[in-house]
């Protein structure tokens, strides 16, 4: 509701991507110009205590000041940017930092780019400082350059290296990790999902019924359309398989119960491709427990605090539980996909429309319009089949998510 208020409509990059009220980032830091509390960003609870994410759209020219209000108020130390400023001739994100060695002013905030290095051919690291009311706050931005919009990175190691660097920079700091792309959904959702699963792994919360699908659906109860395309969803499986393999090679165990420890893959993924079937120790098609608390936290202290902790803001309303569909992906040699439960090239939908199986990147967006009959085309079942041609405004949560 907050995102569809008339004064906030212009702050959304896309009319059909609005944060849920119960998990949206609320601003209270005064910055002049009306000081609305709205920004198109969502709080996502992590897999471990004290681990949180802010999933945000890339700032617009009219929301850069709000973007820095959010960074300052929530004491953000690490920012992960998963898009370029311009892609395919279109503005994807407004520049919110200054050129190297210079400073720029955004409302009451003065931002200086103190250092800039190219950590890898895919990641640029910027050390930024922001000054507000004569107080200075430092942060690090990791700008990942090899992730085209609507697509996936060419390889998994680049993303794993990005996440490792971000975790190292975050250290023991309890502030949220700020992740954004253009809309704050697809690429942002993949990064949050991978880091969420990494935390499950290192804290030995991977159970025999671990499910990537439930992780993604859990994120989607907090940020709309997190993980937006079929290829992005499949990419999570590839990266997680690589993550698990590296963890096992380093001598780690996936489970706290030794009797449950068995190989992750029945055969080498390098030779036969990734096979996601119910024959492995941590089959990537079961269920994962939701470890984040479902209760709202204590209310924030009165008055506009200069900086807020996410644990102070709380989340109103009960946590939505996400039901899952029996949905499995399987990749075989040569990159062909099978096991999609008989998805045909053309299927009639309940509303009389036609659902086309994804044949190109343009068709891999899911239909965000309400669908009265559950099907593989509906958002609740992660069909990833239809792209929205014309945004139709905010949509209700799927019925499955409203059921207690």
């Amino acid at each position: 509701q907050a995102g569809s208020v008339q004064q906030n409509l212009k702050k959304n990059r896309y009319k059909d991507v609005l944060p849920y009220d119960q998990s949206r980032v609320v601003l209270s830091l005064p910055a002049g110009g009306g000081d609305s509390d709205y920004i198109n960003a969502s709080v996502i609870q992590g897999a471990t205590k004290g681990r949180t994410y802010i999933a945000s759209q890339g700032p617009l020219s009219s929301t850069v000041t709000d973007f820095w209000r959010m960074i300052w108020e929530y004491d953000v130390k690490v920012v992960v940017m998963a898009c370029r400023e311009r892609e395919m001739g279109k503005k994807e994100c407004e520049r919110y930092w200054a050129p190297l060695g210079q400073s720029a002013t955004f409302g009451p905030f003065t931002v200086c780019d103190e250092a800039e290095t190219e950590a890898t051919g895919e990641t640029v690291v910027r050390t930024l400082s922001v000054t507000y009311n004569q107080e200075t706050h430092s942060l690090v931005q990791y700008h990942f350059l090899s992730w085209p919009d609507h697509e996936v990175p060419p390889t998994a190691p680049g993303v794993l290296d990005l996440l490792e660097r971000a975790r190292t920079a975050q250290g023991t700091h309890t502030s949220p990790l700020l992740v954004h792309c253009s809309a704050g959904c697809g690429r942002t959702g993949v990064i949050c999902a991978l880091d969420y699963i990494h935390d499950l792994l290192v804290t030995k919360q991977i159970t025999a019924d671990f499910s990537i699908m439930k992780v993604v659906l859990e994120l989607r109860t907090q940020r709309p359309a997190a993980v937006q395309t079929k290829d992005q969803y499949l990419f999570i499986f590839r990266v997680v398989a690589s993550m698990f393999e590296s963890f096992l090679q380093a001598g780690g165990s996936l489970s706290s119960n030794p009797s449950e420890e068995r190989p992750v893959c029945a055969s080498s993924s390098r030779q036969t491709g990734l096979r996601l079937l119910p024959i492995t120790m941590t089959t990537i098609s079961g269920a994962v427990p939701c470890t984040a608390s479902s209760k709202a936290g204590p209310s924030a202290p009165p008055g506009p605090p200069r900086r807020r902790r996410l644990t102070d803001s709380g989340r109103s309303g009960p946590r939505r539980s996400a039901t899952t569909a029996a949905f499995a992906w399987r990749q075989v040699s040569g990159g062909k996909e099978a096991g999609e439960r008989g998805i045909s090239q053309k299927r009639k939908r309940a509303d009389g429309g036609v659902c086309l199986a994804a044949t190109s990147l343009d068709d891999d967006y899911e239909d965000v319009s309400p669908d009265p009959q559950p099907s593989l085309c509906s958002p609740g079942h992660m069909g990833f089949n239809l792209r929205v041609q014309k945004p139709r405004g905010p949509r209700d949560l799927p019925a499955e998510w409203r059921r207690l």
Side-chain angles (χ1 to χ4, degrees), residues 174-185:
T174 57
S175 64
L177 174 66
L178 173 56
V179 184
H180 77 87
C181 50
S182 180
C185 295

Side-chain angles (χ1 to χ4, degrees), residues 330-395:
R330 189 169 109 199
Q331 186 196 22
V332 296
S333 302
K336 296 181 180 179
E337 296 163 4
E340 300 181 19
R341 298 197 62 197
I343 297 179
S344 61
Q345 289 297 317
K346 179 181 275 190
R347 180 188 297 109
K348 289 186 178 180
R349 288 171 45 182
D351 58 4
V354 175
C355 170
L356 299 178
T359 57
S360 68
L361 292 174
D362 238 20
D363 296 325
D364 281 351
Y365 278 74
E366 61 176 318
D367 186 4
V368 300
S369 60
D371 193 344
Q373 296 294 331
S375 71
L376 284 176
C377 301
S378 65
H381 288 72
M382 302 174 69
F384 303 113
N385 288 308
L386 299 179
R387 178 171 182 173
V388 181
Q389 299 300 328
K390 293 182 180 180
R392 305 180 185 178
R395 63 198 182 280

Side-chain angles (χ1 to χ4, degrees), residues 15 58 96 118 129 131 167 179 222 254 326 329 376 401 404:
K15 291 190 293 184
Y96 54 89
E118 189 171 327
S129 64
T131 302
R167 281 190 292 266
V179 184
Q222 300 167 80
L254 299 180
W329 290 101
L376 284 176
W401 293 4
L404 294 178

Side-chain angles (χ1 to χ4, degrees), residues 1 15 49 71 170 180 211 247 250 303:
Q1 298 298 321
K15 291 190 293 184
K49 184 178 180 180
I71 290 175
Q170 183 80 6
H180 77 87
S211 167
F247 189 75

Side-chain angles (χ1 to χ4, degrees), residues 134 153 203 257 328 359-360:
Q134 300 181 345
T203 56
N257 185 355
T359 57
S360 68

Side-chain angles (χ1 to χ4, degrees), residues 82 169 194 269 274 356:
L194 291 174
S269 60
L274 182 61
L356 299 178

